[in-house]
Amino acid sequence: MSQFPVSLKRTALVKRRHLLLAASAAALAAALPIGRSLSSTQAASGARTCSTSLAQVRFIHLGLRVAPPKKTYGRGRVRQKLAAKYALRTLKRQKASLCFRDGTILDINQRTDAVLADPAHTLVRRGEVDEHVMPGSNHAVQTAEAVASATGTQFDVLRRPGTSTFVVVEGAVLVRSKQGSVIVKTGQETTVKKGQAPTPPTAVDAQAATAWTGSIPPPASPVPENIALDANGGGVAGSSSKNPTAGHDPVYVVDGNLNTSWETDAGTTSGWVRISFAHDASYLLTAVMLDCAAAGGDQSRDLKSFQIFTSNSIIPDASLAAFTKVMEGTCLQGNSVQRFDFPAPVTARYLELVAESNYGSPVATDVAELMAVGEPKPVAPPPTPTSLPGLIPGAKGYQFQNLTFHEDVMDSDSQLAASWDWTLSGHVCGDPYANTWSGSSRTVLHWSNLPTLPTPEPGATPLPTITVPQDSDQTGAASWTVNQQGQITGTSTTSGTGTPVIFAMHFLPGPPATVELHVDLSGDTSGTEIWSPVQQTVSAPLTAYTGCP
């Protein structure tokens, strides 16, 4: 068998993040632990442990053979505890499943020989395994041809004589041989032949490739998904980086490759990066995992102190969303993935990492990877219809009147000083999803019908007159349009800091036919004027428009 080097050293250019096991049993016995796994304390804080030993048998179908080091094979048992260098074997039609101490699951297909080298490495001599890696932990599956390393994903390894095939069900996996390496992501596979580099990743039906696991029951607590990973639908929604240097773009913080990193701008040691999740949906977040090390090997750039913010805003532009601090933490210096549990689960559409300091470098701060644990996994929303024929039978166009949302303005003493409404009216000719809406809006500032304002308490700053283009109860005109995605663009002539962000206009066939408007405004403060935040969904009847040709 080929020999693969084992090293934890950093080079001048790239961290040696993924250990390659020696393929022989003797080399496996002497192999050092991979430098990417969680400490025992960190792992226990978040993993769904199934055993205090290295691993435990959780399921057997028709048989499993188990051999302790230097002993013969014996009959395996459910709940049997396994230790380093234990060998496992299945025969024809036999299957089994293990759970590791950190919550990772390893399913074993028929006619498979494998060895548990240590808590982070499994050697597959022949056959097939499917591994569900707990986010934040690190596991590698080794064959004679290559090694696959992952930090939270599901992938399948099939070993036949002279050839190994690696299929990624979800996530990202680094597959390496002595001749080269590739990153394989969700719905892709690579093949490695003896003495050759992995083939470029190609699309594959991953569900079909892993259909053999269907007869193996899932664990009582499913392995969660890293929802920040780009292959799982996550992405960068913004960052403080103005001029990312080569190899340090913000996208690298969610690419699943621990040999790349996001870096703050040159000469600054603080910065931020915002992450969005798949389907523009809310997730219940329970923890983040950070690889706080610098990909270039300069440990003084490793992230030290940080803060995590989240937002559940429905605004599709994260730069306009309101964020709330969830936690702050400190990374241990070193080449490892570290888990940080939230004080309580948080519902969020966006997550923001704020890097505050590093371990001494004045040049920049690096973060190799940001992972987020979110559950349950949301179902993708149905696609937006491209047309709604028969919305109103016989209508050539549609209109709505007085679609209104409300906001209050408070004085510095938190007393209601004024309130205002933005009211929209509009129409479209033809299909409401195929054509652009046009219309107008008016902003009405209400001074009447308000409670008598109390005298400010001693020391409070009185609210000055709010400046608007018109007198009280007059209107400020605005024009706007709605595109096919339901996003409204336009400007209001009303002054002040409370101009709202409006988006997501939906047309519902009913009956009765309605138009629904989602509004999200983070609120603002200008001087002593305090504009309250708004998150509202309002609707109005949709009627036929008779002005169409």
Side-chain angles (χ1 to χ4, degrees):
M1 292 185 179
S2 302
Q3 297 290 315
F4 292 92
V6 177
S7 174
L8 285 175
K9 296 180 180 179
R10 297 169 182 260
T11 66
L13 297 177
V14 180
K15 292 185 295 183
R16 300 290 181 89
R17 295 179 169 277
H18 300 280
L19 295 182
L20 298 177
L21 296 176
S24 67
L28 283 169
L32 294 173
I34 197 166
R36 316 297 303 129
S37 58
L38 295 171
S39 69
S40 58
T41 301
Q42 292 164 332
S45 68
R48 293 168 171 82
T49 57
C50 65
S51 174
T52 56
S53 58
L54 182 151
Q56 178 175 296
V57 179
R58 73 177 191 92
F59 171 79
I60 296 175
H61 175 69
L62 298 181
L64 171 69
R65 308 294 288 175
V66 178
K70 299 181 181 180
K71 293 186 179 181
T72 59
Y73 282 96
R75 181 180 178 182
R77 308 179 312 277
V78 173
R79 291 187 292 277
Q80 180 177 358
K81 295 182 179 180
L82 307 173
K85 306 179 189 66
Y86 267 55
L88 307 167
R89 174 175 292 170
T90 55
L91 305 178
K92 185 178 180 179
R93 293 194 298 273
Q94 294 180 345
K95 297 178 184 179
S97 182
L98 317 178
C99 54
F100 287 86
R101 184 168 50 215
D102 60 16
T104 293
I105 300 296
L106 181 72
D107 294 335
I108 304 173
N109 202 358
Q110 64 175 339
R111 294 173 172 169
T112 296
D113 279 300
V115 176
L116 303 181
D118 60 45
H121 304 89
T122 300
L123 170 66
V124 177
R125 291 173 172 151
R126 67 162 186 153
E128 186 171 19
V129 299
D130 185 82
E131 190 160 53
H132 303 243
V133 181
M134 177 67 68
S137 64
N138 187 291
H139 283 260
V141 175
Q142 170 86 31
T143 69
E145 290 75 35
V147 60
S149 303
T151 57
T153 190
Q154 179 187 353
F155 64 101
D156 186 273
V157 179
L158 174 62
R159 169 84 210 299
R160 295 190 178 98
T163 303
S164 295
T165 301
F166 301 85
V167 175
V168 177
V169 180
E170 68 89 4
V173 175
L174 174 65
V175 178
R176 300 178 65 179
S177 70
K178 293 179 66 175
Q179 288 71 32
S181 65
V182 293
I183 294 289
V184 189
K185 296 191 176 182
T186 301
Q188 294 181 335
E189 72 172 357
T190 184
T191 299
V192 187
K193 294 184 178 181
K194 184 177 180 179
Q196 297 183 16
T199 60
T202 57
V204 66
D205 186 344
Q207 297 302 321
T210 58
W212 63 269
T213 64
S215 59
I216 299 176
S221 298
V223 177
E225 181 180 292
N226 172 19
I227 62 171
L229 184 69
D230 57 4
N232 292 339
V236 173
S239 80
S240 59
S241 300
K242 298 179 178 62
N243 298 297
T245 57
H248 295 288
D249 192 276
V251 297
Y252 292 132
V253 81
V254 292
D255 68 348
N257 186 352
L258 301 181
N259 289 322
T260 60
S261 64
W262 163 61
E263 186 176 271
T264 59
D265 284 334
T268 63
T269 57
S270 62
W272 54 268
V273 60
R274 290 177 182 145
I275 307 302
S276 60
F277 305 129
H279 312 310
D280 191 29
S282 295
Y283 286 74
L284 186 65
L285 306 182
T286 56
V288 294
M289 280 75 64
L290 294 171
D291 180 352
C292 305
D298 182 355
Q299 290 182 290
S300 67
R301 296 191 186 189
D302 291 1
L303 175 66
K304 185 177 181 180
S305 61
F306 66 90
Q307 295 184 15
I308 296 293
F309 293 77
T310 62
S311 173
N312 198 37
S313 172
I314 59 176
I315 296 178
D317 184 351
S319 66
L320 302 174
F323 283 79
T324 302
K325 186 167 78 171
V326 175
M327 65 165 295
E328 54 187 32
T330 302
C331 290
L332 301 176
Q333 189 174 21
N335 193 18
S336 65
V337 176
Q338 302 172 49
R339 177 176 178 128
F340 300 89
D341 289 299
F342 292 168
V346 177
T347 301
R349 282 183 170 88
Y350 302 104
L351 183 144
E352 180 179 88
L353 167 68
V354 177
E356 295 186 302
S357 66
N358 60 26
Y359 276 88
S361 172
V363 178
T365 297
D366 281 27
V367 182
E369 197 74 13
L370 166 63
M371 295 169 255
V373 175
E375 52 186 5
K377 183 178 179 180
V379 177
T384 300
T386 57
S387 64
L388 288 176
L391 188 68
I392 299 177
K396 294 183 178 181
Y398 307 92
Q399 67 178 350
F400 61 88
Q401 300 288 333
N402 300 327
L403 188 62
T404 302
F405 71 92
H406 178 83
E407 184 175 24
D408 294 326
V409 182
M410 315 300 288
D411 64 17
S412 62
D413 201 31
S414 299
Q415 301 296 326
L416 183 64
S419 62
W420 60 278
D421 298 295
W422 188 339
T423 302
L424 296 92
S425 299
H427 70 271
V428 64
C429 289
D431 191 323
Y433 275 96
N435 296 285
T436 299
W437 287 72
S438 62
S440 62
S441 64
R442 58 191 182 95
T443 305
V444 181
L445 185 64
H446 302 279
W447 296 100
S448 59
N449 301 321
L450 289 176
T452 302
L453 299 181
T455 302
E457 296 177 2
T461 304
L463 181 71
T465 302
I466 300 175
T467 303
V468 292
Q470 295 83 18
D471 294 332
S472 174
D473 289 321
Q474 299 300 307
T475 62
S479 60
W480 51 271
T481 59
V482 185
N483 63 20
Q484 294 181 30
Q485 287 71 46
Q487 294 176 323
I488 297 178
T489 58
T491 57
S492 170
T493 59
T494 304
S495 65
T497 60
T499 301
V501 176
I502 307 176
F503 84 108
M505 180 175 280
H506 299 149
F507 305 99
L508 309 176
T514 58
V515 57
E516 188 176 76
L517 179 69
H518 299 271
V519 182
D520 197 316
L521 170 64
S522 63
D524 200 357
T525 301
S526 177
T528 55
E529 301 173 10
I530 304 172
W531 300 78
S532 62
V534 175
Q535 282 191 337
Q536 294 180 18
T537 298
V538 295
S539 61
L542 196 61
T543 59
Y545 179 65
T546 59
C548 296

